[in-house]
Amino acid sequence: CKCNFISFIFLSLGTGSNILSALQDLFWLLKSKVEKQLQIISVLQWVLTFLIMGIACTLILMYILCTDCWAIAALYLAWLVFDWNTPKKGGRRSQWVRNWAIWRYFRDYFPIRLVKTHNLLTTRNYIFGYHPHGIMGLGAFCNFSTEATGVGQKFPGIRPYLATLAGNFRMPILRDYLMSGGICPVNRDSIDYILSKNGSGNAIIIVVGGAAESLNCTPGKNSVTLKNRKGFVKLALRHGADLVPVYSFGENEVYKQVIFEEGSWGRWVQKKFQKHIGFAPCIFHGRGLFSSNTWGLLPYSKPITTVVGEPITIPKIDNPSQKDVDFYHSIYVDSLIKLFDKYKSKFG
């Protein structure tokens, strides 16, 4: 029976080149399945990091303090006190972490792509305005906090710093993980330090719309919160940092969200959270872990293309007037609209 089975296999496959071709097809099929699973795992770990790592690490540290291993937690807490201001001074980036292979699998899951339209001078500093926020800013993270899309090769000599909520840097372990990718707090102290005491060639990426913009994030809609967001322009003027509009096509497509209308109880609750805590709770879903036809926390695998526009030269004004801020803000808005209109049919 065993011989007959083997004979059947060989007759089915044929001989020589047919067998080799069948084995190659099987190999590539297995490899593609393994790569897909690695992509899912890489995205899942980031989603869990975004949602629960800070709280989980805090609870674990508190638990260790109550065990026989309390000395380990005590040592870390002592280090935390000593290292408290590091995030405000440019952080502690690690090229090793930024080049992890896991980020390439993260990139390929969607996939995510970074498009350069103009060169950036290493003798200048920059503030990138990133739009839109999306639910988790996946494009912003992949493009500027890792080297998966080649930001270092496309903009040689430029050090990107993705700015996020300062509260994240009060969480043990999470703060160190974020800093290793070149992520910094989005507050005045941190931005002032990078733009004035860290030399030139720095680029701070600010998701201008923030939590308020995430409330309007939904597939098929491109809506940005920008009209009354002028603080980043004032910072640029105070430091003479050039403004660079950035639009990420597809950022709103990877999650589906329940949108509460203005004036509804749901929007009222979201705004209260945003005002007092710094983030707005969103009711959203993506795909399941094992099937794209079920609901879950994994984002949908939709392409995200981040286009970095032309830099706007900004003069250094120590105390810019409101007129100065309004003038350069209007230039920035016009530049962002032109960038969107130019690439929306290609990537949108």
Side-chain angles (χ1 to χ4, degrees):
C1 293
K2 185 177 180 181
C3 292
N4 290 336
F5 176 74
I6 294 173
S7 299
F8 173 76
I9 293 295
F10 273 88
L11 286 171
S12 299
L13 292 175
T15 58
S17 61
N18 287 338
I19 295 176
L20 182 60
S21 177
L23 290 175
Q24 286 178 336
D25 289 343
L26 180 62
F27 172 77
W28 287 114
L29 179 63
L30 292 174
K31 183 180 179 181
S32 64
K33 286 186 176 181
V34 170
E35 287 186 346
K36 187 62 180 178
Q37 294 304 313
L38 289 172
Q39 291 169 12
I40 290 174
I41 291 170
S42 68
V43 174
L44 179 62
Q45 68 83 27
W46 168 245
V47 171
L48 294 178
T49 297
F50 183 90
L51 294 176
I52 66 171
M53 184 177 179
I55 295 174
C57 289
T58 302
L59 293 175
I60 291 171
L61 195 67
M62 292 173 63
Y63 171 76
I64 294 175
L65 279 171
C66 300
T67 68
D68 293 338
C69 299
W70 63 269
I72 297 174
L75 284 172
Y76 178 80
L77 289 174
W79 160 254
L80 193 63
V81 172
F82 174 78
D83 195 54
W84 191 253
N85 289 323
T86 299
K88 299 178 183 178
K89 297 180 179 180
R92 189 170 44 246
R93 76 172 55 223
S94 166
Q95 286 301 115
W96 175 65
V97 173
R98 288 175 61 89
N99 281 287
W100 276 354
I102 194 172
W103 305 131
R104 295 193 290 275
Y105 289 112
F106 183 98
R107 172 199 66 197
D108 293 339
Y109 173 84
F110 296 92
I112 296 174
R113 179 186 175 197
L114 181 66
V115 176
K116 169 186 174 181
T117 62
H118 291 79
N119 292 323
L120 298 180
L121 299 175
T122 57
T123 55
R124 300 285 293 174
N125 284 324
Y126 301 91
I127 293 179
F128 287 18
Y130 185 91
H131 314 268
H133 182 284
I135 296 293
M136 296 184 185
L138 295 165
F141 168 77
C142 185
N143 284 309
F144 301 112
S145 294
T146 79
E147 293 295 330
T149 56
V151 64
Q153 289 74 41
K154 292 177 180 177
F155 300 103
I158 301 297
R159 294 180 297 276
Y161 293 87
L162 177 60
T164 188
L165 291 175
N168 289 325
F169 296 89
R170 301 187 187 102
M171 302 283 190
I173 309 300
L174 175 63
R175 66 189 294 275
D176 302 290
Y177 189 39
L178 295 178
M179 283 194 292
S180 67
I183 301 177
C184 68
V186 62
N187 57 33
R188 182 169 173 175
D189 289 342
S190 177
I191 295 173
D192 283 347
Y193 182 91
I194 293 171
L195 295 180
S196 63
K197 298 179 181 179
N198 201 42
S200 60
N202 303 292
I204 298 179
I205 297 87
I206 299 177
V207 186
V208 178
E213 191 172 79
S214 67
L215 300 180
N216 294 315
C217 165
T218 187
K221 183 178 181 181
N222 289 280
S223 176
V224 300
T225 301
L226 179 59
K227 184 177 180 180
N228 296 316
R229 298 292 176 104
K230 301 180 180 180
F232 72 105
V233 178
K234 189 172 184 179
L235 281 170
L237 285 165
R238 289 180 62 246
H239 294 284
D242 294 347
L243 289 171
V244 182
V246 179
Y247 201 89
S248 201
F249 296 92
E251 187 73 64
N252 286 351
E253 307 298 319
V254 296
Y255 280 110
K256 295 178 181 178
Q257 180 185 188
V258 177
I259 303 293
F260 294 101
E261 299 296 329
E262 288 291 342
S264 66
W265 66 270
R267 182 56 66 97
W268 179 83
V269 170
Q270 288 176 322
K271 287 187 174 180
K272 286 296 181 181
F273 264 84
Q274 179 191 335
K275 180 179 179 181
H276 297 291
I277 301 179
F279 71 92
C282 302
I283 301 176
F284 65 92
H285 74 84
R287 54 156 289 182
L289 182 60
F290 301 106
S291 172
S292 59
N293 296 321
T294 58
W295 288 13
L297 288 176
L298 277 176
Y300 293 104
S301 53
K302 303 289 185 179
I304 298 176
T305 304
T306 303
V307 184
V308 180
E310 182 179 4
I312 303 166
T313 303
I314 302 294
K316 189 177 186 302
I317 304 175
D318 291 333
N319 294 296
S321 65
Q322 190 59 48
K323 185 177 179 181
D324 294 326
V325 174
D326 291 342
F327 174 73
Y328 284 101
H329 182 268
S330 65
I331 293 176
Y332 178 86
V333 171
D334 290 341
S335 182
L336 179 64
I337 292 172
K338 289 178 181 177
L339 180 71
F340 177 80
D341 287 339
K342 182 175 181 180
Y343 292 98
K344 63 184 180 183
S345 61
K346 186 175 183 180
F347 301 126

